[in-house]
Amino acid sequence: MLFDEVTDLIAEHSRDELESQLTELKAEQEELAAEYDADSLTAFREQLAADELSAEELRERRNVIATWEAINTELGLVKHALQLYGDVVELSSSRTDSRSTFA
């Protein structure tokens, strides 16, 4: 499943587009970290347990956790796609003996 998602990213995006996505996702992650004064999702979760928060604040923070997790997942996929980009394009080209749709 991971490989399918990574190859889909490679098929649908150029290397430059993936690099731009990586930059945007990292910026989103850094914005969350700065907004909630947490270096990582783990640190943010620790704050959740330590702070006295209202039910509304807890709901908001749970939404932030879900967002942060989604960003982390996307970051991982884009990083894998960038790492494998050349290999996947090369394999695809050699299998079809013609210009790859991944290029």
Side-chain angles (χ1 to χ4, degrees), residues 23-89:
T23 302
E24 290 170 15
L25 289 165
K26 195 64 180 167
E28 287 180 51
Q29 187 183 56
E30 290 171 358
E31 287 172 19
L32 285 175
E35 182 177 345
Y36 291 95
D37 194 30
D39 294 338
S40 65
L41 179 55
T42 302
F44 182 71
R45 282 190 161 127
E46 288 171 2
Q47 286 179 1
L48 186 70
D51 294 343
E52 291 293 323
L53 303 170
S54 68
E56 180 61 31
E57 290 169 320
L58 287 170
R59 276 191 289 279
E60 176 189 339
R61 294 214 176 186
R62 290 196 57 200
N63 288 336
V64 170
I65 288 170
T67 300
W68 205 322
E69 288 174 335
I71 291 169
N72 286 348
T73 299
E74 286 297 313
L75 269 171
L77 289 171
V78 171
K79 285 179 181 180
H80 286 305
L82 284 168
Q83 289 170 338
L84 297 173
Y85 196 90
D87 293 335
V88 170
V89 169

Side-chain angles (χ1 to χ4, degrees), residues 87-98:
D87 293 335
V88 170
V89 169
E90 184 179 320
L91 285 173
S92 176
S93 295
S94 66
R95 265 195 252 155
T96 60
D97 290 328
S98 65

